[in-house]
Amino acid sequence: MNTLRVGLIGAGGISRVHADGWRALGATVTVYSHEGAQALADAYGFSVAPALDALIAASDIVDIVTPTPSHAPLALTAIRAGKHVVCEKPLAGSTDEARAVVDAARAAGVRLFPAHVVRYFPEYAQVRQQVASGRIGEPAVLRFVRGGEAPRAGWFHDESAGGGIVRDQMIHDLDQALWLAGDVVRVYAVRSRRVVDAVAPDAVTAHVVLTHANGALSHVQGSWGPRGMLFRTSADIAGSAGTLAIDSRDTPSTVDIPAAHDGDGYLPPPTHAVSPYTAQLRDYVAAIAEGRDARVTAEDGIRAVAVAEAAMESLRTGAPVELDLAAAVLPLAAAEAVGA
């Protein structure tokens, strides 16, 4: 692509780091959103589309940064118009929806990139490299912790519409567990909540235990806390020949991203000279131009949604959920044939 034309759908908190990335890549960006489009466009020198179809017509890549319930419908609309798609996590609210989106992209011959940005944080990428190189032997026990101030918008907490801490926040570390230790065959989840607000709980913590096909166990903990709770992540991986550990408290801040996220503490603070969001978008653009896989594939998006969905089912039933990720990523028609 000689001229990178991007359509950014959504102007909420996460849109700013995507906007930073597209501006750094020299893209021509058009924005469409029910609210905030003009303010975002003015801040970045972007254009505003009067309607969704106008945005799609003006774009080669459509970047979806809207609430989760709209991800699949918007992605399908862009794909059917022949556009490549970047979609914020989770790719969809359910495994079936995610698979339908991936099927549509395959059929249309366009690229689909779920935005699992943690794979582009240098410390997590380094852990992946060390594990893949065999430095600690076979992974045996993995622990991931992620926590911070609860998001303020009510849809984040509406589990019936695809929200909730597991699907929105913890999906980052569910994806990390899959990236580091491979497919998951069993999921068990527990949760505690202190509700003081009808829309948003004052505090919620969930713990998900993943049993991997290779026998490894991953423990994933996510917390949304009260106003002012500092954002923190950590990962500890114990293998047959050693251990690895990272903690966001040990990562010095070396860049200033404008404080334009409406005070939403659920976004991690800037800690890298090159934004992982920019690195992510650069990889996606290069993958299109070079005809190669990106660090995150469309199928990775299905796997993460499937594990999150299993965790939600475990929370509902109080029992472990068995999972077949190989079947989850089959094209929808093939999966239905297998089920028959």
Side-chain angles (χ1 to χ4, degrees):
M1 292 176 290
N2 294 325
T3 301
L4 183 59
R5 302 186 308 157
V6 173
L8 185 62
I9 307 178
I14 199 68
S15 68
R16 299 277 176 158
V17 287
H18 282 248
D20 290 333
W22 291 123
R23 183 166 63 180
L25 295 177
T28 298
V29 180
T30 305
V31 182
Y32 174 73
S33 180
H34 294 310
E35 297 180 2
Q38 193 63 58
L40 181 66
D42 290 346
Y44 285 86
F46 298 160
S47 301
V48 174
L52 180 60
D53 57 354
L55 174 132
I56 291 175
S59 307
D60 301 306
I61 300 174
V62 173
D63 186 3
I64 301 167
V65 293
T66 55
T68 295
S70 63
H71 286 182
L74 288 171
L76 288 170
T77 298
I79 288 166
R80 288 165 182 161
K83 309 300 180 179
H84 304 296
V85 171
V86 176
C87 183
E88 257 303 330
K89 54 77 195 160
L91 180 58
S94 72
T95 306
D96 285 346
E97 279 190 332
R99 187 162 48 197
V101 173
V102 174
D103 282 359
R106 289 172 179 150
V110 299
R111 304 296 299 276
L112 171 65
F113 304 102
H116 290 287
V117 72
V118 175
R119 293 194 183 198
Y120 294 88
F121 278 67
E123 56 271 33
Y124 284 89
Q126 189 173 48
V127 165
R128 157 72 176 182
Q129 189 277 324
Q130 296 288 346
V131 170
S133 72
R135 182 176 177 184
I136 63 168
E138 292 297 319
V141 179
L142 302 86
R143 299 183 186 276
F144 303 92
V145 176
R146 183 171 302 267
E149 181 180 312
R152 300 176 190 178
W155 71 265
F156 281 101
H157 306 276
D158 186 354
E159 294 177 354
S160 66
I165 191 169
V166 173
R167 288 192 184 99
D168 182 78
Q169 187 237 54
M170 296 176 70
I171 200 166
H172 281 305
D173 292 312
L174 299 179
D175 177 65
Q176 283 296 304
L178 290 165
W179 201 35
L180 295 171
D183 277 357
V184 167
V185 296
R186 185 178 297 110
V187 181
Y188 178 65
V190 294
R191 175 181 56 195
S192 66
R193 288 189 288 186
R194 185 173 77 239
V195 180
V196 297
D197 186 304
V199 175
D202 179 61
V204 56
T205 296
H207 192 103
V208 178
V209 181
L210 309 175
T211 303
H212 294 267
N214 60 8
L217 289 175
S218 288
H219 298 263
V220 182
Q221 178 182 307
S223 298
W224 276 340
R227 301 290 179 258
M229 179 177 173
L230 296 178
F231 186 90
R232 181 196 170 194
T233 68
S234 65
D236 298 86
I237 299 91
S240 58
T243 62
L244 292 167
I246 55 174
D247 193 313
S248 61
R249 294 177 301 182
D250 301 326
T251 304
S253 178
T254 57
V255 66
D256 178 32
I257 295 176
H261 310 307
D262 303 321
D264 284 336
Y266 70 93
L267 284 173
T271 55
H272 303 90
V274 176
S275 165
Y277 295 91
T278 301
Q280 171 184 244
L281 297 176
R282 180 180 290 116
D283 183 35
Y284 295 168
V285 170
I288 294 170
E290 298 166 13
R292 60 166 176 82
D293 281 343
R295 191 175 297 179
V296 183
T297 67
E299 290 74 20
D300 289 328
I302 301 176
R303 287 186 176 90
V305 170
V307 173
E309 189 173 50
M312 295 301 298
E313 177 67 9
S314 179
L315 289 176
R316 187 184 70 81
T317 64
V321 174
E322 305 298 319
L323 195 59
D324 183 352
L325 286 180
V329 300
L330 283 173
L332 196 56
E336 290 171 348
V338 169

